Amino acid sequence: MQQGAVWQAVLGEIELSVSRGNFVTWFKNTSLLEVSEEKIVVGVPNIFIKQQLERKYSDLVSDTLKRNGVVAPIIEYKISNTPVSKPDETTDLESVSDEDDLGEPRVTTPQSSLSHSYRQGLNERYTFETFVVGASNELAFAACQAVATSPGTKYNPLFLYGGVGIGKTHLLQAVGNTLAGRNADAKILYISTEQFVQEFVDALRFRKTATFASHYRTADVLIVDDIQFIAGKEKMQEEFFHTFNALHQANKQIIISSDKPPKDIATLEERLRSRFGGGMSIDMQIPDYETRCAIVQSKAQAHDIVLPQDVVEYLAVNVQTNIRELEGALNQLLAFCEMRNLDPTLAVASSLLNVSKTRPKHLSAKQIIERTARHFQIPIEDIVGPKRDKDIVVPRQIAMYMLRNELHLSFPKIARELGRKDHTTAIHSVEKIEKESKADPSIRTAISEIREHLYA
Ligand code: ADP
Ligand code: MG
């Protein structure tokens, strides 16, 4: 993976967590100059920006780099004359940004002539094309596509909810990007609830609530991410209620995400709760194993890398709860291999990812054997019994292999667990499965699936 690509990914994330003005001012013309085990060097255009990044944004930068697989004890900011800006962006739009340059978040005021201010918060990295669809998210995907096709008519509001890192922001942004691409004049606002609250607080402080209100109430599409953070903020809820009504009455599309359904958001005003539930609510789940594999493969391909299937499966099995972490693990692997000039093999992946973290302590030999028998739909008595039919011998060998790999049991113990007297049977079986799993994808899949169930 190229340094440039890593930095673009980092900037993409930072762009979503700071205001547009701050992003343009502090991050726009930065680049990644050097990555080594000792240090990371970030190129910046001038001393002013250097100081600001060191003082105010160093945690944000190092955390975001880390999430993208780049870690070093030192992060240095170096003034460099060759700022890298994206070739497809015109700089004149940026230079007329009305927003602050002193690091204070300020209210974004409506701009009549600048279309880019209507694209607030959108990150073009997130599209429908790059979203992998599976059973866990197909409903959400379809609803978002419907909304992108005919906003304001079908599902209003569209409310997506589900755990962390499972693709809510990605889908919300994809709707925004699609609409923005289709209609250059549409006023599409994407905002995280935290930023929304911050802007509102600032509006109160600087007596600009009218400007704030009119900015949001004149949107054509309003996308509010992570609405759970509005809990307990009464004034903000009041303000949002009116914004919501104004938009809804004008048939403007509203899209909201949350980590839980409206009824479970503590201290959410009843009237908002009922507004949120008044359209379409969709529960998103963590993608299943096959979808996770497809996501890993497609993210690797985006870096022009085709990962060996065993590595894909390894990542998908070991990072099960969160696609952001799955992506982080992949980026970590690719960055590691890039820096050391290695191929991303299973051995590298497994040495890099600390699997023991996800391994439940209580996993027993019995559970592994039971799970393996269940997977192959054979009775446990058969797998630990004397039968020598092929459709029992192979599962038995796989069970031995799993006992060795997951629990690191000794060969005599493995043999005993499966009712064998001779420990050389266990040695032979483990070796055989090790070898065959390299050649035979069905064996690999079986192992992955058993493992997935064991650690689910
Ligand atoms: P959430 O908002 O639910 O916390 P995000 O939308 O930020 O999660 O997703 C986290 C990361 O995982 C993003 O980089 C996103 O692109 C990626 N991701 C999640 N689901 C998918 C998917 N189905 N296909 C491709 N990428 C996905
Ligand atoms: Mg999100």
Side-chain angles (χ1 to χ4, degrees):
M1 185 164 43
Q2 294 302 307
Q3 267 174 214
V6 175
W7 191 241
Q8 283 311 320
V10 168
L11 289 182
E13 280 187 33
I14 291 178
E15 192 171 1
L16 290 181
S17 57
V18 301
S19 77
R20 173 85 194 160
N22 280 332
F23 180 76
V24 170
T25 311
W26 306 117
F27 293 98
K28 195 81 220 317
N29 289 317
T30 56
S31 57
L32 198 56
L33 295 179
E34 185 189 325
V35 177
S36 68
E37 276 167 70
E38 295 85 51
K39 66 176 178 185
I40 296 164
V41 183
V42 177
V44 297
N46 59 47
I47 180 78
F48 189 43
I49 290 178
K50 175 173 149 67
Q51 284 173 348
Q52 183 71 3
L53 290 182
E54 283 168 351
R55 258 193 15 234
K56 224 182 133 184
Y57 292 107
S58 66
D59 285 351
L60 176 65
V61 171
S62 71
D63 289 351
T64 317
L65 275 164
K66 198 153 143 201
R67 266 205 301 284
N68 283 275
V70 184
V71 191
I74 300 171
I75 299 183
E76 239 175 61
Y77 297 90
K78 194 171 154 194
I79 297 163
S80 130
N81 299 325
T82 51
V84 188
S85 58
K86 283 192 240 158
D88 57 345
E89 278 174 346
T90 46
T91 40
D92 55 335
L93 276 184
E94 308 303 341
S95 58
V96 286
S97 165
D98 64 314
E99 296 185 25
D100 66 321
D101 53 6
L102 293 172
E104 278 278 313
R106 208 210 290 169
V107 183
T108 316
T109 48
Q111 292 290 297
S112 50
S113 58
L114 293 178
S115 66
H116 86 285
S117 70
Y118 296 159
R119 301 292 184 261
Q120 175 184 302
L122 289 181
N123 178 337
E124 52 200 45
R125 193 159 71 98
Y126 297 117
T127 63
F128 285 128
E129 288 72 41
T130 56
F131 192 82
V132 178
V133 185
S136 64
N137 56 29
E138 61 188 351
L139 208 57
F141 182 82
C144 285
Q145 282 207 314
V147 163
T149 309
S150 43
T153 57
K154 264 200 174 144
Y155 310 129
N156 206 10
L158 175 60
F159 191 102
L160 301 185
Y161 65 91
V164 190
I166 59 169
K168 300 184 298 294
T169 297
H170 189 133
L171 279 182
L172 260 51
Q173 290 257 340
V175 177
N177 281 320
T178 305
L179 290 167
R182 196 170 321 126
N183 181 353
D185 298 324
K187 191 174 171 190
I188 297 156
L189 300 183
Y190 165 94
I191 190 152
S192 70
T193 300
E194 282 161 307
Q195 193 187 341
F196 205 31
V197 170
Q198 183 59 48
E199 286 190 8
F200 181 62
V201 169
D202 288 341
L204 287 175
R205 186 148 61 110
F206 299 120
R207 300 176 183 283
K208 283 202 175 168
T209 45
T211 319
F212 176 87
S214 83
H215 181 57
Y216 287 100
R217 287 177 204 178
T218 54
D220 292 314
V221 177
L222 179 61
I223 306 173
V224 184
D225 209 352
D226 289 324
I227 197 77
Q228 71 272 12
F229 293 121
I230 207 173
K233 308 206 165 62
E234 282 163 30
K235 275 202 161 156
M236 181 75 223
Q237 293 192 16
E238 163 95 30
E239 172 63 32
F240 191 60
F241 179 73
H242 295 300
T243 302
F244 187 102
N245 287 344
L247 292 173
H248 198 258
Q249 272 158 21
N251 291 325
K252 304 296 188 184
Q253 181 70 45
I254 301 158
I255 313 172
I256 298 170
S257 84
S258 167
D259 68 347
K260 41 179 117 49
K263 68 174 172 42
D264 294 343
I265 305 178
T267 65
L268 181 67
E269 263 190 75
E270 195 46 46
R271 53 184 185 167
L272 269 183
R273 211 181 291 267
S274 82
R275 285 290 184 282
F276 291 168
M280 172 84 154
S281 295
I282 297 178
D283 178 3
M284 284 179 79
Q285 301 284 343
I286 175 77
D288 56 27
Y289 170 72
E290 279 76 21
T291 313
R292 293 201 303 279
C293 287
I295 291 174
V296 172
Q297 200 56 277
S298 98
K299 302 266 173 192
Q301 267 160 25
H303 296 294
D304 285 329
I305 288 169
V306 180
L307 279 185
Q309 187 59 22
D310 57 354
V311 175
V312 171
E313 288 167 2
Y314 181 82
L315 291 173
V317 162
N318 284 297
V319 189
Q320 301 194 353
T321 53
N322 180 326
I323 303 301
R324 188 174 301 126
E325 276 173 21
L326 183 60
E327 216 180 333
L330 171 68
N331 287 343
Q332 206 176 325
L333 174 66
L334 297 183
F336 183 85
C337 290
E338 162 90 9
M339 269 193 265
R340 289 169 184 72
N341 209 7
L342 297 170
D343 283 334
T345 59
L346 185 58
V348 176
S350 58
S351 70
L352 197 61
L353 291 184
N354 187 0
V355 195
S356 57
K357 262 195 307 199
T358 57
R359 174 172 297 153
K361 288 193 190 68
H362 52 267
L363 190 62
S364 67
K366 187 154 171 274
Q367 278 173 303
I368 291 181
I369 296 166
E370 270 171 13
R371 207 1 108 181
T372 311
R374 172 121 57 110
H375 181 86
F376 291 103
Q377 301 181 326
I378 54 175
I380 298 184
E381 303 80 72
D382 282 356
I383 208 170
V384 298
K387 283 193 187 161
R388 305 212 38 90
D389 320 33
K390 186 160 189 284
D391 51 350
I392 292 175
V393 170
V394 174
R396 187 182 294 144
Q397 290 171 332
I398 290 181
M400 292 190 185
Y401 170 88
M402 306 275 311
L403 290 178
R404 182 71 184 170
N405 273 276
E406 307 305 310
L407 297 184
H408 308 290
L409 298 187
S410 69
F411 289 113
K413 176 114 174 72
I414 292 173
R416 270 201 305 282
E417 290 289 346
L418 283 140
R420 314 285 110 178
K421 292 202 183 72
D422 184 359
H423 78 278
T424 55
T425 315
I427 298 178
H428 167 76
S429 299
V430 171
E431 277 172 0
K432 177 163 172 281
I433 297 301
E434 236 156 44
K435 201 157 111 224
E436 284 185 0
S437 67
K438 295 209 173 78
D440 183 347
S442 71
I443 293 199
R444 273 205 308 275
T445 310
I447 294 171
S448 300
E449 284 176 5
I450 295 166
R451 219 186 250 143
E452 175 169 40
H453 278 108
L454 287 171
Y455 295 132

